[in-house]
Amino acid sequence: MSDRKLKTVAVLDRHMEWGLFVLAMLFVAALQFAVWRRIQSGDVGVSDSAAPREQSHPADPTSEPENPDLTLCPACGAENDPGYDFCRRCVGSLRP
């Protein structure tokens, strides 16, 4: 190979290394963004394996939640934030 061709190949290799580095940094940034969104949504610490509906105990419809801003799930009795459409524990509908 000629000397000029070797220099061209070396430059291309250097650019490919930077390209892979930039792709890796974009991937890490995307993962960090996904984690940040999950933290902001309040889903962190909530178990993915909720108790089945058959084994859960329905809430007493006459009882009021400790915090009046919270909504009680009619199926399992879990307290949910007012903007939720579905229960965070049993994924049942909070709307009639």
Side-chain angles (χ1 to χ4, degrees):
M1 274 184 149
S2 70
D3 195 32
R4 182 179 173 160
K5 214 173 200 180
L6 286 175
K7 286 181 183 179
T8 304
V9 170
V11 168
L12 287 175
D13 283 345
R14 188 175 313 136
H15 287 291
M16 286 179 58
E17 288 176 5
W18 276 107
L20 290 174
F21 175 76
V22 169
L23 283 175
M25 290 295 104
L26 288 173
F27 180 73
V28 168
L31 285 176
Q32 288 178 339
F33 181 72
V35 169
W36 177 80
R37 289 287 305 251
R38 175 109 188 230
I39 290 170
Q40 293 299 316
S41 71
D43 289 340
V44 176
V46 176
S47 175
D48 289 338
S49 60
R53 288 188 182 183
E54 299 83 44
Q55 296 176 356
S56 61
H57 302 289
D60 180 14
T62 60
S63 68
E64 293 292 323
E66 293 177 13
N67 186 348
D69 294 334
L70 297 177
T71 305
L72 281 180
C73 173
C76 70
E79 294 180 346
N80 294 283
D81 292 331
Y84 284 15
D85 292 328
F86 299 96
C87 176
R88 67 171 65 193
R89 184 186 302 158
C90 70
V91 196
S93 177
L94 297 175
R95 308 286 177 231

